Amino acid sequence: MRAKRGAAEATYVPKDTVGAYKDVPRRGKYTLARTDFPEGGRQIEVTMPKTRGTKGRKAAISGLVGQIRNVTKAQRRDDKRVKLEATFAVGGGQGRVMSIGDKSGYHASDILADVKSDFGGDMIAWLVSQAQGRYDELDLKSSPIVSIRMTVFNAHRPKSERKAQDIARTRRRKWRR
């Protein structure tokens, strides 16, 4: 970005170029809110306490996994994609909202398969690994996840094309390595 007139350096780089902030309550609790959209789309927001090991956090994680599992069951006719936004508590009553994955989201079945095979069923570990790949400056040990918004929509690619790519093992980057 351009610096002000008369500054010592002509340009400067801002520390935080992306990310929205929202208020986070001091004491979180487990809530699950669902909004249905036309053509099978839905938006689900899961909030959870910051503290590890609490009943509310465990219930929120299992509720999130259950919602993703429901999405995969709804793929009988059309493939579903899931776009995730996580809110990390950064202190001072503020939460940093970050997008997880790319703009087209994830195939719903791939999330469950990766959580099971790569992370031993730990959904939070999968979310943290996906966030670390995108946001290097965030310290995930001191900033716990307090909310996850999941937007579900129909995939643009036909299911027959996706199945052909699965057979050829060309659809996912991790298969092409």
Side-chain angles (χ1 to χ4, degrees), residues 3 12 26 48-49 60 65 97 104 111 122 127 131 144 152 167 172:
Y12 72 96
R26 287 178 58 113
M48 62 186 85
V65 171
V97 180
S104 63
I111 294 174
D122 188 0
L127 286 166
V152 179
I167 291 170
R172 298 187 68 194

Side-chain angles (χ1 to χ4, degrees), residues 21-42:
Y21 290 87
K22 74 176 193 177
D23 292 333
V24 174
R26 287 178 58 113
R27 294 188 62 167
K29 62 180 182 175
Y30 166 57
T31 60
L32 190 139
R34 177 180 162 151
T35 306
D36 291 324
F37 298 130
E39 298 179 14
R42 58 192 111 151

Side-chain angles (χ1 to χ4, degrees), residues 49-55 57-58 124 128 140-142 144:
K50 293 183 248 186
T51 311
R52 284 187 191 171
T54 59
K55 289 189 293 184
R57 192 164 180 88
K58 290 176 184 174
I124 291 293
V128 166
L140 296 169
K141 293 201 186 317
S142 65

